[in-house]
Amino acid sequence: MQITEALDRCPTDLLVDGAWRTAADGRRIEVRDPATTEALASVASGQESDALAAVEAAERALPRWAATPPRERSAVLRRAYELMTERAEYFAVLISAENGKALADARAEVGYAAEFFRWYAEEAVRLAGTVQHAPAGGYRILVDRAPIGVAVLVTPWNYPAAMATRKMGPALAAGCSVVLKPASDTPLTALAVGALMAEAGAPAGVVNVVPADRSGAVVGAMLAHPAVRKLSFTGSTEVGRRLLHGAADRVLSTSMELGGNAPFLVLADADVDAAVRGAMLAKMRNGGEACTAANRFYVHASVADEFTSRFAAAMAALKVGPGLAAGTEVGPLVNADTRDKVVELVEDAVARGARVRTGGRAPERTGYFYEPTVLDGVAPGSALLTEEIFGPVAPIVRFEDEAEAVRLANATEYGLVSYVYTRDLRRGLAVSGALESGMVGLNRGLVSDPAAPFGGVKQSGLGREGGHEGILEYTEAKYIATDW
Ligand code: NAD
C-alpha cells in the first residue's frame, strides 16, 4: 500500500463518544516522517476540556459495557483481531511512516498488536472468581472479579499499535471503558485503532482516543476526574514516576510499564551462533528502540573474540534506509532528540576508551539515522551502560567470573528483562533466578508474547500486561462474605 493511500484512510481528529471532532481550541499536532523530517499529516491536539469530555463519555458508556455479556465483549475483540489482520498492510505502512521503523518491523508489530485482541477475546470469557469455606466455618468467602471502571491509557511512540492494543484488549475484556492518549510523535496509528474498534462493534464512548501535545496538563486533568479509576502507562521511568505522584492524589490503581536496561549474558559454554542470532534480535528489533532492547552485553572472555567479531559482522551487514524503502532493515530513529542522545552516549564511551568495531556515527544524510554499532572494551562508568540507549548500539564488556557478571547485570535501578545464553539448562535457570528482572530470555533473544505476563521489577514498573495477569489489572477483587 502506498503511504498516500494509508494517510487518506487514517482519521486525524479526536475520537470522543463515538464521533470525530476537532480540538476545543482548534490546535493540531504536526506528524513528521523521521526519514525525511517532512510533515505527513496534522492531527487534532486535545485540550483538557476534550479529554474530560472523553472521560465523561467513557463514564456514561461504562455501566452498559460492564453489563454486556462476556461472550459479546469477546466477539468485539475477536472482530478487532480479524479486522486488524485483514488490514495489516495499512497499519504497517502507517506505523512505518510515523515511527520510522523498517516495514518488516512494522508488519511484525501489527501481528503482535492484533494478537492482544485475539488473546483477550479468549480471556474475556475465562475470568473466574473463587469460593471457599471460611477457615472458622459458618460462611463462605466468595470473591468476584469486577471491572475497575474508566481507564486512562497512555502509550509511547515505539510500538504505536501494540502498546495501545496491549492495554485496550484486557481493559475491554474486563468490562472497562477507556481513553487512550497516544504519544505525539505517533498519533495516527492510535486513531486508526480507535476507528477499527468502532467498526468492530465497541459502542460509542467505550473507546476514546485523544492525542494531546500538552500531555502533562491533559493527562493530569483526566487523573483528577472522579470517574477515572485506573491509569495504565507505558513510557519512560522519569514520566512514570511523575504520573505515580499524580495518581497518588486520588489513590488510583496504576499499571506502569517503564524503561529498561537489559543485560545480555553470554556464558562460557554458550552456543555462539545462537547467541549472535539472539543478540541481533534482542538488540535490533525495532532498530533498538524497544524497552526490551539488550542494552549491555556481558560476554565471557573465552568466547568474547568470536562473539564480538561475528556480531559486528552481522550488524555491519544490515541495510539502513527509510522504513518504507524496499530492503530496509534498520530505519531512522524517531526524532532528533533520540538520535542526538545516541550520538552523545557513543562519544562518551569512545572518549573513555571503547573501541568501535562497526558503525559509531550518524551518517550524513537527511533524517534521524544512526549506523548499527558495536563497541568493544566499554569502560565501567560509561553512560552507555547505565542509561537506556534506545538506538542501534551494542556495548560489549568482557568478564571472567560469572558471579561478577550477574552482579554487574543487576547493578541498575531497572529490572525489565535480561537475556542469558548457555548450553547448560541447570546453570541457565540458576542465573535466570539470580537476575533481578521481571522477564528473562534464556537462550532466546525475544520474550514478548501476548500470552505471557510482560513487566518489570525495580524501577521498570508495576503490574503486568499480557497473559492472564493482564486482565486482572483491570479488575478489582470483590469479596462477599456469604451466609450460604
Ligand atoms: P515518554 O515517557 O516520554 O512518553 C510516554 C507517553 O507519556 C507519551 O504518550 C507522552 O506523550 C506521555 N507523557 C510525557 N510526559 C507526560 C507527562 N508529564 N504527563 C503525562 N503524560 C506524559 O516515553 P517515550 O519516549 O514515548 O517512550 C520511550 C520510553 O518508553 C522508554 O523509556 C521505553 O523503555 C519505555 N517503554 C517501556 C515499555 C514497557 O513495556 N516497559 C514499552 C515500550 C516503551
Side-chain angles (χ1 to χ4, degrees), residues 155-158 166 181 233-236 257-259 291 388 454:
T155 52
W157 48 260
N158 65 339
R166 195 166 83 171
K181 205 299 287 168
F233 172 77
T234 297
S236 61
E257 297 287 350
L258 308 178
C291 52
E388 240 187 327
F454 185 107

Side-chain angles (χ1 to χ4, degrees), residues 154-159 163 166 181-185 212-213 215-217 219-220 233-240 242-243 256-260 289-292 338 388 390 414 416 454-456 460 465:
V154 181
T155 52
W157 48 260
N158 65 339
Y159 287 94
M163 296 303 98
R166 195 166 83 171
K181 205 299 287 168
S184 305
D185 282 318
D213 59 354
S215 48
V219 173
F233 172 77
T234 297
S236 61
T237 296
E238 186 191 341
V239 173
R242 224 175 298 156
L243 287 174
M256 293 274 151
E257 297 287 350
L258 308 178
E289 289 177 309
C291 52
T292 49
T338 305
E388 240 187 327
F390 245 61
Y414 294 108
L416 189 61
F454 185 107
S460 283
E465 290 190 319

Side-chain angles (χ1 to χ4, degrees), residues 112 116 159 163 166 285 290-292 417 419 439 444-452 454:
Y112 177 53
F116 283 103
Y159 287 94
M163 296 303 98
R166 195 166 83 171
R285 197 166 69 109
C291 52
T292 49
V417 60
Y419 302 91
M439 305 176 284
R444 269 189 71 78
L446 176 68
V447 296
S448 305
D449 189 318
F454 185 107

Side-chain angles (χ1 to χ4, degrees), residues 19 29 70 106 119 125 209 219 362:
I29 300 169
W119 176 262
V125 291
V209 185
V219 173

